[in-house]
Amino acid sequence: MSILSIQNISKSYGNIKALNGVSFEVPQGAIFGVLGPNGSGKTTLLSIIVDVLKADNGNFLWFDQPSSPATRRKIGTLLETPNFYHYLSAFNNLKITNSISGRGNVTEINVVLEKVKLLERKNSRFSTYSLGMKQRLAIAGALLGEPKVLVLDEPTNGLDPVGIAEIRELIKELSIAGHTIIMASHLLDEVEKVCTHVAILKKGTLLTTGAVDDVLVDNDIVEISASDNNALLNILQSYNGTEQVILENGLVQIQLAKGTARPEEINAFCFSKGITLNHLVIKKKRLEAKFFELTNN
Ligand code: ADP
């Protein structure tokens, strides 16, 4: 079942087209990454689906229904860093968050602090918190009202490595606890580590979407050469499992599905066709290269 269905959404700021007919589905229980370089439209899209901005065109459905106060109650959002009071404790800050947003109630505060592992520090002043703890408190605020879905814009931005690790771990735990999570990120590595599904945006256009394992497939690459590389290129067209064979920088490159490269087999295959190899190296195609390809073509 789809938690969120985005249908053909467009949005311009004056003559800047921030989103151009974007459509995708967020499955229930996903950790869904909206991935793209800065300026690709991620914040605009998240702002539209939480009703902060209005789309020029297109629709979106939450839980198969048009957005309404009832659907909004099921969605916790963290689009901007909240302004917490430095001299107040985590608990008192969340009391203020609760009274401003009207989401949840005071008795829930300990529950959300427990979820983000700040219960023991609930009486410490905000100013004594690490960056990761501050962001965890912000997520606790978004958890008030027991939302089914959390929408987070670049949740690890500006954090130190420890804070980044804490937040990524927390996101996975919240997912296990039953929340569907939709998060923007400009980091391929983050989406790969944290997310189950992804939609990749480039300049407001959806490039691709699906399960992370399908979209960000990492091919095996075997680089070989022989005295006659053109002949080599030819015979490899019929090698079982070849997805692509190209001649690059005087070497033949074979792309195969992840984990399927068998160099001995390739060597034996070529030999059986009368070609002796003078070079054979397995290379890993970096996912970054794939992302770069996707976002720069
Ligand atoms: P991302 O979150 O991926 O960095 P944004 O949604 O913030 O992307 O921005 C998408 C595009 O829209 C960018 O070109 C950005 O400069 C432009 N943009 C965003 N907000 C505004 C605004 N309030 N006024 C004008 N242009 C904007």
Side-chain angles (χ1 to χ4, degrees), residues 13-14 16-19 36-45 153-154 184 201:
Y13 301 101
I16 297 172
K17 190 125 198 158
L19 292 172
N38 286 331
S40 54
K42 304 182 294 296
T43 304
T44 302
L45 184 64
D153 194 4
E154 300 267 6
L201 289 180

Side-chain angles (χ1 to χ4, degrees), residues 277-293:
L277 299 181
N278 57 26
H279 174 96
L280 191 157
V281 174
I282 298 194
K283 290 179 96 184
K284 276 278 154 208
K285 182 167 179 169
R286 305 273 306 142
L287 284 174
E288 281 88 311
K290 173 104 180 177
F291 183 50
F292 188 78
E293 263 172 36

Side-chain angles (χ1 to χ4, degrees), residues 90-207:
F91 189 89
N92 285 333
N93 265 303
L94 286 190
K95 264 168 95 174
I96 293 175
T97 306
N98 160 250
S99 65
I100 294 172
S101 71
R103 297 176 65 90
N105 54 55
V106 177
T107 56
E108 231 185 83
I109 292 178
N110 282 338
V111 177
V112 295
L113 285 172
E114 167 93 70
K115 273 194 167 180
V116 303
K117 300 204 184 79
L118 285 177
L119 193 56
E120 282 175 11
R121 293 289 304 272
K122 71 175 195 172
N123 293 318
S124 306
R125 285 178 179 211
F126 181 74
S127 58
T128 66
Y129 276 22
S130 68
L131 289 172
M133 290 164 79
K134 288 175 176 167
Q135 183 67 336
R136 270 148 59 198
L137 184 62
I139 293 176
L143 283 168
L144 285 169
E146 300 180 45
K148 289 191 182 327
V149 185
L150 278 179
V151 178
L152 311 170
D153 194 4
E154 300 267 6
T156 63
N157 239 11
L159 299 183
D160 52 278
V162 175
I164 290 173
E166 285 173 9
I167 296 302
R168 289 180 181 170
E169 204 46 48
L170 174 60
I171 288 170
K172 289 185 196 166
E173 284 167 15
L174 291 172
S175 164
I176 292 167
H179 299 277
T180 299
I181 301 187
I182 302 171
M183 57 180 270
S185 177
H186 66 284
L187 302 171
L188 170 71
D189 167 63
E190 175 156 284
V191 169
E192 216 202 328
K193 283 191 175 128
V194 178
C195 297
T196 58
H197 293 73
V198 64
I200 303 183
L201 289 180
K202 177 194 173 187
K203 291 186 186 153
T205 303
L206 180 78
L207 292 182

Side-chain angles (χ1 to χ4, degrees), residues 243-258:
E243 290 192 354
Q244 202 189 9
V245 202
I246 50 166
L247 194 56
E248 199 173 80
N249 302 325
L251 296 167
V252 175
Q253 243 191 32
I254 319 163
Q255 287 199 25
L256 307 116
K258 187 177 184 171

Side-chain angles (χ1 to χ4, degrees), residues 9 20 41 44 60 88 101 117 127 150 153 209 212 220 224 291:
I9 287 197
N20 191 4
T44 302
F60 60 94
L88 290 184
S101 71
K117 300 204 184 79
S127 58
L150 278 179
D153 194 4
T209 184
V212 165
D220 283 358
I224 56 178
F291 183 50

